[in-house]
C-alpha cells in the first residue's frame, strides 16, 4: 500500500469513527439523558428527530460546500460542527443546548460521511475502492450495530452517558489537526458557483417533512390528526415544486445536481439504496424492540447478544468483499443470500416467546448479522462505484438521501404497525380477563400464590398491577411476532419489484 492510498484510507476512517456513535447513544441512553435534563421520553424523542433533520439537510449542503470550497473545507467544517456539538452534549444539562447539539451531530455526520466516500471514489481504482469502502462501512455501520450497543448501554446504566459523547472529542481534534497540518492526498478543485436558495428551501422542507411524518406520525392517527394532514400537504407541495424547479432549472446558482436521476441506472440505484436502508433498519429495529420490550432484556443484555450478530456481520462482509473486489463478478448474485437470511431470521423469531432463553436467540441474531453484512456492504459498494463520476458529490448525496428515506420508511411502517397490533392484541387478550372466565381465575390464582411466596400480601391493587403487566407483555409479544410477519410480506413484495426494475433499467431504451 503506497503512501497516497494510506492517507486516503486513514482520512476516510477518521471521518466516520464518530459519525455513528450518536444514533447508538440515543438507542442506549435516551431514558438516562431525559432523566438527567428533566424531559419526558416523548420530549427526548426530539433528539432523534432533530438529528435526522441534520442528517438530511447536510447531505445536499455538504455536496455544494465541497464543490464550492473544496474537500478540505468540508472536512474542516464537519469536524468543527461535530466538536462543538460534542462539547454541548457533554457539558450542557439544559434541554435547549442538548436539542441543538443533536441537530449539529446530524450535520457533522453527513458532512463527514459525504467526504469519506467522495475521497475514496475520487482517488482509488476498482479493486481498491472495494477494500477501502469495506473498511469504512465496517467502522461506520457494522461496528455501531454490533459492538456499540453493548458498550454504550453499560455506560448508560452507570449514568456515564456523557462519556459516550466525550470519547468523540479525540477524533474531531485529530481531524482539525490533519486539516491544518496534515498531508492532503489530492489537489483541490473548486467551482465559482452560486447557491440556489429556492431549491435548497424546497428540498429542506420536503426532506424534513417526510422525516417528521415518518418519525412522529406513529404517535397520531395519520388520517385524522389535523397537524399531520397539514404537514403532509405542505410536504407534498414542496416535493412537487422541487421537481418542477429542478426540471425547469428555477432559481439562480445550483444546489443538488439531479442528472444522476435522469438515467434508468440512476433510478434503479436510488431504488436499491432505499431498499437497502429499509431492510437493514427494519430487521435491526424489530430485533432490538423484540429483545428489550418483549423479552424484557436490559439494554446491556441486548447489546451482549448483539455481539453474536457482529460475528455474522463479519462473515457477511467477507462474502460482500469477495463479490465486489473483482470486476468479472456480479455482486447482485449474493444479494438473494442476504434476503434469504433475513427472512430466515424473521421465521425463527416468530416461533419464539417471552419465556425462551438467550441460547434460542443466537442463531437468529447470527443470521440477522450475516444478512446485514451482505446487503449493506454489497449494495453500497456496487451502487456508489457504478454511478457516473461527473457529479460525484451529488451522486453520493442522492444515494444517502434515498437510503435514509428507506430507513425512515421502515421506522414509520413498523412503529405504526406495532402501535396498531399492540392495541388490537390488548383488546383481544383483555376479553379473557373477565372475573367469570376460567383463564382469568387461573391467572389470578397464580399471581396470588406468587405474592404469598414473596411474603407480600395479595391485595387487589398488587394483583391488578401484575395482571396488567402480564397483559402488556402478551400484547407486545403478539405485536412483535405479527411485525415479523409483516416484514416477510413486505420483503416478498419488494423482491419482484426489484427484479422487474432491474430488467427495465438494463433493457436498452428505444430511440426517439
Amino acid at each position: 500500500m503506497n503512501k497516497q492510498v494510506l492517507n486516503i484510507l486513514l482520512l476516510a476512517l477518521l471521518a466516520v469513527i464518530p459519525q455513528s456513535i450518536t444514533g447508538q447513544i440515543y438507542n442506549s441512553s435516551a431514558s438516562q439523558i431525559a432523566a438527567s435534563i428533566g424531559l419526558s421520553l416523548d420530549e427526548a424523542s426530539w433528539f432523534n428527530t432533530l438529528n435526522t433533520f441534520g442528517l438530511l439537510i447536510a447531505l445536499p449542503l455538504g455536496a455544494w460546500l465541497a464543490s464550492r470550497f473544496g474537500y478540505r473545507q468540508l472536512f474542516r467544517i464537519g469536524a468543527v460542527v461535530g466538536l462543538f456539538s460534542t462539547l454541548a452534549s457533554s457539558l450542557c444539562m439544559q434541554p435547549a443546548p442538548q436539542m441543538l447539539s443533536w441537530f449539529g451531530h446530524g450535520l457533522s455526520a453527513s458532512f463527514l460521511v459525504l467526504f469519506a466516500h467522495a475521497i475514496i471514489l475520487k482517488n482509488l481504482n476498482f479493486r481498491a475502492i472495494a477494500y477501502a469502502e469495506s473498511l469504512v462501512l465496517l467502522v461506520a455501520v457494522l461496528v455501531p450495530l454490533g459492538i456499540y450497543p453493548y458498550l454504550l448501554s453499560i455506560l448508560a446504566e452507570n449514568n456515564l452517558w456523557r462519556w459516550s459523547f466525550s470519547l468523540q472529542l479525540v477524533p474531531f481534534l485529530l481531524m482539525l489537526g490533519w486539516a491544518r497540518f496534515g498531508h492532503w492526498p489530492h489537489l483541490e478543485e473548486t467551482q465559482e458557483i452560486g447557491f440556489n436558495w429556492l431549491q435548497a428551501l424546497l428540498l429542506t422542507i420536503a426532506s424534513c417533512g417526510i422525516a417528521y411524518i415518518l418519525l412522529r406520525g406513529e404517535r397520531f392517527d395519520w388520517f385524522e390528526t389535523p397537524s399531520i394532514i397539514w404537514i403532509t400537504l405542505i410536504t407534498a407541495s414542496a416535493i412537487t415544486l422541487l421537481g418542477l424547479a429542478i426540471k425547469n432549472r428555477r432559481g439562480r446558482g445550483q444546489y443538488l445536481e439531479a442528472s444522476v436521476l435522469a438515467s434508468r441506472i440512476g433510478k434503479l440505484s436510488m431504488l436499491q439504496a432505499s431498499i437497502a436502508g429499509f431492510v437493514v433498519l427494519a430487521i435491526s429495529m424489530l430485533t432490538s424492540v423484540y429483545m428489550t420490550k418483549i423479552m424484557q432484556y436490559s439494554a446491556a443484555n441486548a447489546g451482549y447478544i448483539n455481539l453474536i450478530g457482529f460475528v455474522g456481520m463479519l462473515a457477511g462482509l467477507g462474502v460482500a468483499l469477495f463479490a465486489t473486489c473483482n470486476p468479472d463478478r456480479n455482486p447482485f448474485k449474493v444479494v438473494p443470500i442476504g434476503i434469504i437470511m433475513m427472512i430466515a431470521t424473521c421465521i425463527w423469531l416468530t416461533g419464539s416467546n417471552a419465556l425462551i432463553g438467550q441460547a434460542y436467540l443466537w442463531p437468529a441474531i447470527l443470521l440477522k448479522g450475516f444478512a446485514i453484512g451482505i446487503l449493506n456492504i454489497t449494495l453500497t459498494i456496487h451502487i456508489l462505484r457504478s454511478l457516473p463520476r461527473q457529479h460525484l458529490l451529488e451522486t453520493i448525496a442522492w444515494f444517502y438521501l434515498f437510503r435514509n428515506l428507506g430507513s425512515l420508511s421502515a421506522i414509520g411502517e413498523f412503529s405504526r404497525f406495532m402501535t396498531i397490533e399492540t392495541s388490537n392484541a390488548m383488546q383481544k387478550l383483555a376479553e379473557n380477563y373477565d372475573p367469570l372466565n376460567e383463564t382469568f381465575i387461573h391467572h389470578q390464582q397464580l399471581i396470588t400464590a406468587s405474592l404469598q411466596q414473596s411474603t407480600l400480601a395479595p391485595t387487589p391493587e398488587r394483583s391488578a398491577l401484575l395482571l396488567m403487566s402480564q397483559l402488556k407483555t402478551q400484547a407486545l409479544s403478539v405485536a412483535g411476532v405479527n411485525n415479523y410477519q409483516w416484514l416477510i410480506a413486505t420483503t416478498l413484495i419488494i423482491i419482484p419489484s426489484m427484479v422487474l426494475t432491474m430488467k427495465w433499467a438494463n433493457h436498452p431504451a428505444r430511440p426517439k
Side-chain angles (χ1 to χ4, degrees), residues 374-429:
I374 290 178
L375 294 173
N376 203 314
I377 307 299
T378 304
L379 288 175
T380 301
I381 293 175
H382 180 67
I383 292 171
L384 290 177
R385 193 172 54 190
S386 61
L387 289 172
R389 288 288 175 273
Q390 54 266 44
H391 299 289
L392 178 61
L393 292 161
E394 290 86 350
T395 295
I396 301 170
W398 278 117
F399 170 81
Y400 271 99
L401 279 173
F402 277 91
R403 186 184 178 90
N404 286 330
L405 175 62
S407 299
L408 290 169
S409 299
I411 294 173
E413 177 180 347
F414 293 107
S415 294
R416 186 62 181 164
F417 280 165
M418 194 70 178
T419 301
I420 295 172
E421 295 286 355
T422 303
S423 176
N424 293 338
M426 285 282 284
Q427 293 177 5
K428 188 66 177 177
L429 291 170

Side-chain angles (χ1 to χ4, degrees), residues 62-353:
W64 185 88
L65 287 171
S67 298
R68 178 65 179 83
F69 300 107
Y71 284 34
R72 189 195 293 258
Q73 281 297 93
L74 177 65
F75 185 68
R76 182 181 286 116
I77 292 170
V80 169
V81 174
L83 179 64
F84 280 102
S85 298
T86 299
L87 288 172
S89 298
S90 305
L91 302 176
C92 298
M93 290 295 101
Q94 291 77 36
Q98 281 287 338
M99 293 285 185
L100 186 61
S101 72
W102 282 78
F103 179 73
H105 284 301
L107 292 174
S108 173
S110 283
F111 286 156
L112 294 174
V113 167
L114 187 67
F115 165 83
H117 288 298
I119 199 172
I120 289 173
L121 295 170
K122 182 180 177 65
N123 295 285
L124 301 183
N125 59 34
F126 187 95
R127 187 182 297 269
I129 287 174
Y131 286 104
E133 286 286 356
S134 295
L135 282 175
V136 167
L137 293 170
L138 171 66
V139 174
V141 179
L142 302 190
V143 170
L145 289 176
I147 295 179
Y148 287 174
Y150 178 62
L151 299 177
L152 297 177
S153 61
I154 291 175
L155 290 175
E157 289 182 359
N158 291 280
N159 202 29
L160 298 173
W161 57 268
R162 281 181 286 183
W163 282 99
S164 304
F165 288 108
S166 300
L167 294 172
Q168 300 177 65
L169 293 173
V170 175
F172 283 130
L173 290 173
L174 289 174
M175 287 183 222
L176 290 174
W178 195 322
R180 177 64 180 85
F181 303 106
H183 172 73
W184 208 249
H186 66 263
L187 295 175
E188 293 288 1
E189 299 175 2
T190 59
Q191 305 175 44
E192 294 292 332
I193 54 176
F195 188 81
N196 194 318
W197 288 98
L198 174 63
Q199 293 184 20
L201 177 63
L202 292 173
L203 183 56
T204 299
I205 294 173
S207 57
C208 290
I210 292 172
Y212 181 88
I213 293 166
L214 294 176
L215 285 175
R216 312 290 299 180
E218 78 273 9
R219 293 167 173 79
F220 315 100
D221 188 323
W222 282 337
F223 302 102
E224 293 183 3
T225 305
S227 60
I228 294 295
I229 293 173
W230 278 109
I231 292 173
T232 302
L233 291 174
I234 292 171
T235 302
S237 300
I239 294 172
T240 303
L241 293 173
L242 175 65
L244 293 173
I246 292 176
K247 180 179 179 180
N248 299 320
R249 299 185 178 278
R250 298 295 183 185
R252 296 181 179 180
Q254 69 181 58
Y255 187 55
L256 187 61
E257 177 63 45
S259 59
V260 67
L261 304 179
S263 66
R264 290 187 175 189
I265 296 299
K267 293 182 177 70
L268 172 64
S269 297
M270 296 306 112
L271 174 64
Q272 292 168 341
S274 302
I275 291 173
F278 177 89
V279 169
V280 169
L281 189 64
I283 190 65
S284 300
M285 181 180 71
L286 291 183
T287 306
S288 176
V289 169
Y290 200 84
M291 286 192 293
T292 56
K293 302 296 184 184
I294 299 167
M295 311 297 291
Q296 297 186 356
Y297 292 156
S298 66
N301 283 336
Y304 176 76
I305 296 174
N306 272 327
L307 295 177
I308 303 297
F310 184 65
V311 177
M313 291 180 200
L314 292 178
L317 171 63
V319 173
L321 186 58
F322 172 80
T324 56
C325 69
N326 191 324
D328 295 328
R329 299 190 185 111
N330 181 5
F332 282 112
K333 288 185 177 181
V334 304
V335 172
I337 299 174
I339 294 174
I340 291 171
M341 294 300 101
M342 188 198 71
I343 293 176
T345 301
C346 296
I347 293 173
W348 187 282
L349 291 175
T350 54
S352 62
N353 58 67

Side-chain angles (χ1 to χ4, degrees), residues 275 339-340 343 490-501:
I275 291 173
I339 294 174
I340 291 171
I343 293 176
T490 304
T491 305
L492 294 178
I493 294 173
I494 286 174
I495 293 172
S497 302
M498 191 172 179
V499 171
L500 291 174
T501 309

